[in-house]
């Protein structure tokens, strides 16, 4: 029935994967999502099902036990999953970013050790840049690693770790001045550490504490936490890529694919909002006819569907650009910016179409209304996307006069 958000030129394998995921979303996620979200309950059964489908290893190369699929396949799966419940796509997203960073930047030993476990969903990833005093301004990170023999000692506090409790591997970005004299540009003195830990809360490894879940307005079910490092000792072979000072670039590479992912989430949530709006508009009657027959409501539906199409097209374009091996920061920034803004608008329109019932927790749109704002913030706010887009445009359109 879904006419919107079609993707042309997919291979048979891609179509088969998507059909399987869509079927899973319709049968296993949508029927339980709102109830679990209201209880802020971790969707263990759904996660187990996705593990079985191989979703945790979708982009991990086949030689490491994954499916070796493209960013496009991955993003289209995320779009489907977010259509069912955005929190589930959040459970996969940080795992995917960490696996991607390992694939691109890890040493051979790190790839062989982590990627097969990640493909199976046994090791689950979280990534951590933000701190209590910073999110957008990553260069201001104050958490620090100091070398001590064959180990590094990490101290500092991190904030907003999606999957901070449930993950067993956290990619943590800290400042590491060793080998980088005073005055080195901040982004050249940062290092990503691969920190293994037990799942759960409290002291999950000597020197590492995950205090508990942050209570959020939406995006429930998935755990978001702080992380406190107090004399945390990490062996030197757990520096991502084996060399210090490259962490900022590694993280930015991860965030670039993460942005396509957040765009895909925006597309999925917007699609679901449209489905809910168009369905309700044909059932609710006012002034003797279904509200869908009032032109004002039809116009809303037209605008919503146009936004769903536009966001999908930009997200697919950004994913294909990365898959072709080209730099995609401009396209990813544009896709993330547009998809998250449109998502918020489409959700708002679907909410209005529901009248007073949209305000009731019995209706799914109430959940979407609390979820959409997260997309305006995660993987860089709208302002940060516009800074990236603007900078790239000035590079491309340099004044020649
Ligand atoms: C639910 C949730 C999950 C998250 N998960 C993770 C995670 O897994 N890992 C992780 O590392 N982080 C995570 N984050 C953190 C997220 O990336 C940051 O919240 C985000 O980058 C914004 O940073 P901030 O909150 O510190 O806002 P700030 O950087 O303080 O920004 C505040 C406001 O100022 C604006 N602003 C900032 N700088 C400029 C500028 N130069 N010009 C114009 N406007 C500007 C921003 O756009 C924003 O509107 C998560 C956040 C949330 C809410």
């Amino acid at each position: 029935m879904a006419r919107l958000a079609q993707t042309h030129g997919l291979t048979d394998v891609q179509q088969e994967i998507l059909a399987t995921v869509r079927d899973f979303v319709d049968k296993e996620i949508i029927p339980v999502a709102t109830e679990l979200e209201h209880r802020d309950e971790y969707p263990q059964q759904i996660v187990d099902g996705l593990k079985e489908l191989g979703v945790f290893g979708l982009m991990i190369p086949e030689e490491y036990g994954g499916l070796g699929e493209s960013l496009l396949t991955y993003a289209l799966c995320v779009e489907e999953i977010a259509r069912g419940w955005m929190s589930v796509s959040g459970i996969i997203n940080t795992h995917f970013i960490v696996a991607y960073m390992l694939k691109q930047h890890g040493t051979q030993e790190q790839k062989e050790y982590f990627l097969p476990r990640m493909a199976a969903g046994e090791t689950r990833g979280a990534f951590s840049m933000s701190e209590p005093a910073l999110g957008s301004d990553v260069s201001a990170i104050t958490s620090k690693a100091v070398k001590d023999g064959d180990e590094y000692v990490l101290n500092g506090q991190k904030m907003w770790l999606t999957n901070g409790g449930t993950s067993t591997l956290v990619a943590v970005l800290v400042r590491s001045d060793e080998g980088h004299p005073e005055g080195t540009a901040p982004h050249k003195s940062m290092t990503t550490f691969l920190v293994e830990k037990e799942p759960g809360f409290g002291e999950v490894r000597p020197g590492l504490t995950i205090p508990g879940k942050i209570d959020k307005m939406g995006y429930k079910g998935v755990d978001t936490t702080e992380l406190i490092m107090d004399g945390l000792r990490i062996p030197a072979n757990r520096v991502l890529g084996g060399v210090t000072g490259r962490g900022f670039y590694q993280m930015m590479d991860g965030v670039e694919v993460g942005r396509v992912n957040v765009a895909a989430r925006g597309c999925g949530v917007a699609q679901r909002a449209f489905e809910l709006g168009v369905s309700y508009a044909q059932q609710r009657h006012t002034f003797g006819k279904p509200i869908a027959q009032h032109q004002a409501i039809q116009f809303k539906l037209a605008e919503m569907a146009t936004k769903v199409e536009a966001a999908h097209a930009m997200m697919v374009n950004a994913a294909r650009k990365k898959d072709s091996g080209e730099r995609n920061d401009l396209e990813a920034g544009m896709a993330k910016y547009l998809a998250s803004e449109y998502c918020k608008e489409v959700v708002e329109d679907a909410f209005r179409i529901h009248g007073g019932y949209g305000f009731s927790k019995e209706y799914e749109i109430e959940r979407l209304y609390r979820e959409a704002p997260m997309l305006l913030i995660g993987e860089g706010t709208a302002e940060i996307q516009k800074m990236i887009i603007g900078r790239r445009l000035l590079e491309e359109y340099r004044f020649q006069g």
Side-chain angles (χ1 to χ4, degrees):
M1 97 122 183
R3 155 142 198 181
L4 295 179
Q6 300 287 324
T7 315
H8 299 290
L10 297 181
T11 63
D12 290 347
V13 174
Q14 285 175 314
Q15 287 180 28
E16 203 179 305
I17 293 173
L18 274 177
T20 308
V21 171
R22 174 172 267 263
D23 189 52
F24 183 85
V25 168
D26 287 336
K27 291 193 180 128
E28 310 292 335
I29 300 185
I30 289 179
V32 296
T34 300
E35 203 185 319
L36 289 177
E37 201 267 355
H38 287 166
R39 292 207 298 264
D40 198 3
E41 187 174 319
Y42 190 77
Q44 190 57 53
Q45 211 174 322
I46 293 172
V47 169
D48 291 343
L50 290 174
K51 257 193 222 174
E52 251 172 63
L53 292 182
V55 170
F56 285 94
L58 208 54
M59 259 188 89
I60 294 176
E62 283 172 297
E63 57 183 304
Y64 299 113
L67 296 178
E69 271 297 324
S70 61
L71 179 59
L72 177 63
T73 314
Y74 182 80
L76 293 174
C77 288
V78 166
E79 184 180 36
E80 285 298 341
I81 292 168
R83 187 178 67 84
W85 184 11
M86 195 183 91
S87 295
V88 178
S89 62
I91 291 172
I92 300 160
N93 185 35
T94 62
H95 176 87
F96 151 79
I97 293 179
V98 176
Y100 174 83
M101 283 166 55
L102 271 160
K103 176 173 80 109
Q104 295 298 107
H105 307 287
T107 63
Q108 194 55 33
E109 183 275 329
Q110 289 168 351
K111 287 184 207 180
E112 281 168 16
Y113 178 78
F114 287 113
L115 288 179
R117 291 171 169 82
M118 293 189 85
E122 287 161 18
T123 293
R124 300 266 301 286
F127 91 112
S128 174
M129 294 196 293
S130 305
E131 296 185 356
L134 66 101
S136 307
D137 186 6
V138 178
S139 67
I141 279 179
T142 58
S143 296
K144 206 167 162 134
V146 175
K147 190 136 200 241
D148 182 21
D150 285 343
E151 294 180 321
Y152 286 85
V153 182
L154 275 58
N155 283 290
Q157 188 177 348
K158 291 291 188 180
M159 187 72 194
W160 296 117
L161 277 85
T162 303
N163 300 308
T166 40
S167 58
T168 52
L169 170 64
V170 188
V172 186
L173 187 64
V174 301
R175 191 166 297 289
S176 56
D177 290 339
E178 164 246 357
H180 311 285
E182 210 50 28
T184 306
H187 52 281
K188 289 191 175 151
S189 59
M190 287 196 200
T191 299
T192 307
F193 284 89
L194 300 166
V195 177
E196 288 180 271
K197 67 173 188 67
E198 290 298 315
F201 302 98
E203 194 171 25
V204 288
R205 171 180 177 151
L208 179 64
T209 302
I210 305 286
K213 288 201 305 189
I214 297 170
D215 199 9
K216 297 166 294 188
M217 72 180 265
Y219 197 40
K220 290 173 186 270
V222 56
D223 48 295
T224 309
T225 73
E226 295 172 50
L227 175 149
I228 297 161
M229 299 174 286
D230 183 11
L232 170 66
R233 301 190 80 85
I234 303 292
N237 68 358
R238 289 296 169 256
V239 167
L240 179 63
V243 183
T244 59
R246 295 189 181 161
F248 184 84
Y249 302 101
Q250 294 162 342
M251 282 278 177
M252 289 305 129
D253 190 24
V255 166
E256 209 170 273
V257 289
R259 282 187 183 137
V260 175
N261 191 291
V262 174
R265 286 201 237 175
C267 294
V269 174
Q271 273 173 49
R272 185 65 187 154
F274 174 77
E275 286 170 11
L276 295 172
V278 77
S279 161
Y280 188 85
Q282 292 168 80
Q283 295 167 55
R284 180 72 172 175
H285 287 67
T286 68
F287 302 94
K289 53 184 172 185
I291 58 171
Q293 296 305 326
H294 297 303
Q295 196 178 47
I297 299 293
Q298 251 178 46
F299 277 14
K300 259 196 211 315
L301 293 170
E303 286 165 13
M304 290 158 75
T306 306
K307 288 172 182 173
V308 165
E309 278 294 271
H312 178 81
M314 288 195 76
M315 180 273 288
V316 168
N317 180 47
R320 284 196 158 132
K321 186 109 185 181
K322 188 80 177 176
D323 284 335
S324 73
E326 287 182 71
R327 183 176 170 185
N328 84 334
D329 53 349
L330 178 71
E331 292 75 12
M334 285 179 167
K336 196 272 165 179
Y337 167 54
L338 187 100
S340 57
E341 296 290 332
Y342 275 2
C343 174
K344 182 201 64 169
E345 292 169 16
V346 172
V347 167
E348 164 103 32
D349 276 345
F351 171 80
R352 287 173 190 257
I353 286 172
H354 279 73
Y357 290 98
F359 215 65
S360 160
K361 278 187 173 281
E362 275 186 38
Y363 284 76
E364 200 178 323
I365 192 66
E366 177 270 342
R367 168 169 65 78
L368 271 54
Y369 196 84
R370 288 181 291 102
E371 285 173 343
M374 151 61 190
L375 299 170
L376 302 170
I377 309 290
E379 312 294 356
T381 62
E383 288 72 26
I384 297 302
Q385 305 309 320
K386 285 190 247 184
M387 280 163 61
I388 295 166
I389 295 166
R391 261 202 305 262
R392 282 290 281 131
L393 288 175
L394 291 175
E395 275 176 37
E396 295 280 338
Y397 291 86
R398 206 180 292 277
F399 180 58
Q400 302 292 342

